Amino acid sequence: MIIVLGLVSALQTGLIGGFAGYYLSESLYDEIGQRALMVSKTVAAMPAVIQGVRERDTESLMALSERLAETNEALFIVIGDHNAIRLAHPDPDRLGHSMADDDGDSGTLALEQGQAYVAKALGSLGLSMRGKAPIVDVSNGEIIGIVSVGYSLDQVFSVIQRYNRVLYTVMGMMLLGSVLAAIIIAGRFKRAIFGLEPEEIAALFQERDATLQSVREGIIAINRDGIVTTFNRTAIETLGLDPDTRLAGQPIERILPENNLMTALETGESAFDQEVWLQGQQMIVNRLPVKQGDETIGVVASFRLRDELDQVSRQLTRIQQYADTLRSQTHEYSNKLHTIAGLIQIGANEEALALIGNEVSDHQALIHLLLEAVPDPVLAGCLLGKYNRAREMGLKLVIDPDSQMADVPPKLPRDQLVSVLGNLIDNALEATRQFHGEGGLVHLSMTDLGHDLIFEVEDQGPGIPPDQHERIFERGVTNKQDGDHGIGLYLVRQFVDRWGGSVTVESLQPSGSRFTLYLSKTPKPSPSPGQSEVNAS
C-alpha cells in the first residue's frame, strides 16, 4: 500500500509539476515576445527613427538604438532600410549588411505586407525572442524600413530555472508528504484489520463461512442499520424460508417482525436462553451485541428449536407439579384422617361421620362438576390440583357451578393453556393469602359460549392500582416483595398475543382483582415466510 500510494502520488505530482513548468515557460516566452513586439512598434513610430531612416543617418540611428536598447533592457535594437540593410546595430561591423545574415529572416512580412510579428531565432548575439515592425513614412504611407527588437532568452531560461527550483522543492515536499500520509494510512488500516494481511483475511473469511454452515443453530447478524449481514443455512431452514432466499442486505424487520434485535441494538444489552415463538414452535434464542469501543455496531442472534432435552425438562417439571399436588393431597388427608381418628377415640362418632360426609360431599361435587363441565382431562386435572393447593394454603377455590368448558379447540396446546390458567390462579391464591389470610376465597368461572373461551379469576387480595393494569403484564413488573417474580403474567400476555385473544384486569370493591382471559377458538394465522412473527416469551 505504501509503494502504490507513493507511486501514485509521484505520478500525480510529476504530471502537475510538468504541466506547471510547461505553462510557465510558454507564458514567459509569450510575455517576452509581446514585450519585444510592443517596443519594436514604439521605436518604428518614433519621428527621429523615421527621419534617420529617410536620411540614412547611421550615426544618429546608432546612438538612438543603443539608448533605446538600454532604456528597455533589450538585448539589441536593429534598424534597417526598406531593403533590410542594417542602418543601426550593436556591432558596427555588421552595418551595411542584410539583416537576413543573422537569422535568415529578411523581414518580408514587415517590409512587403506591413505586418508586425514575433520570431524566435539564433543570431550573432545569441538565441533571442524578436519583435519586428515596419517603419512607415507618415507623409506618404510608404514603408521605408524595419525595426527588430530582441530580448535574450537566456534571461527567460534563468527565470524559468528559478521558478523550477521552487516548483521542484514544492513537488518534493508534496511527494514526501504523500509518502508519510501513505505510511500513516497503511498503519491505521493495518491496525483496523488487527495486523492481518489480505491473504490472512481471505482465509479467515473462508473459515468463518465454513464454521457458520457447520453450526446446527441458526445464526443471523445485523449491522447498526438493522440490515442482515451474516446468516447460515440452518437459519433459513429453522425459519422455514425458501432455501434459495438470500437474507443478506435485507432489513431484519422485513424477515422477522417483532424480533427484538433492534431493541438489543439500541440498549446494547445481551440476552441468553430466551424463549422465542415462531409459527407456533418454541425456540431458544441468544442475542449478543457487537461493540466497537463503547459503540454498538451490530447484533448477532443464534436460535434453535427446543430439543429433546427441553422436552424432557418440561415433562420433569410437570411430574414435579403432580408430585407437589399429591404431596399436598397426602398432607391434607393425613391431617383429616388424624382428626377423624381422634374423634372416634373420644367417642364423637357423629362429628366424625359429619366430617367424612362433608369431605366426601365437597370432593364428589367438585369431581362431578369437572366431569360435566370440563371433559378435557388435562384441564380438569389442573383445576383439581389447584383446588387441593388452595385447601392446603387454608383457602378455598370456588368454581362457578354454571361453568362450561367443553368446546376447547384441538389445536390449542393443553400444556400452555394449563400453564396460563395456573399462573392466574396461583397469583390469585398468593394475593388472597397475603391480604385476607386463611379462609379467603378465589372464584373461577369458565364459559365456551360464542367464539371465545373465557376464564374469569377473582381474588380477595389488595387489588391492583388502575395505573398498573397494563404494566403488570410487562416482564419483571410485580407487586410481590420477595422471590423471583414478574414472569407469570408476562407469559400469560405472550401466549394470548400469540394465540389470538386478550387478557384484562379489573379492580373489585372493597378489595380484590378480577382477571379475564379471552382465547379465540380460531387460532391466529401463522405469518408467511419472510414475515414470521417472533415474540420473546
Side-chain angles (χ1 to χ4, degrees), residues 262-279:
M262 297 303 295
T263 301
L265 187 64
E266 294 172 0
T267 62
E269 297 179 356
S270 304
F272 299 99
D273 297 329
Q274 288 190 339
E275 281 195 16
V276 169
W277 288 89
L278 172 64
Q279 296 181 337

Side-chain angles (χ1 to χ4, degrees), residues 464-494:
I464 300 174
D467 60 346
Q468 296 290 316
H469 284 182
E470 287 299 322
R471 289 195 69 246
I472 199 68
F473 295 100
E474 296 178 8
R475 188 183 186 94
V477 177
T478 180
N479 290 330
K480 301 174 184 177
Q481 301 300 322
D482 58 338
D484 184 14
H485 302 292
I487 300 296
L489 292 179
Y490 171 75
L491 295 177
V492 171
R493 171 61 65 86
Q494 293 297 312

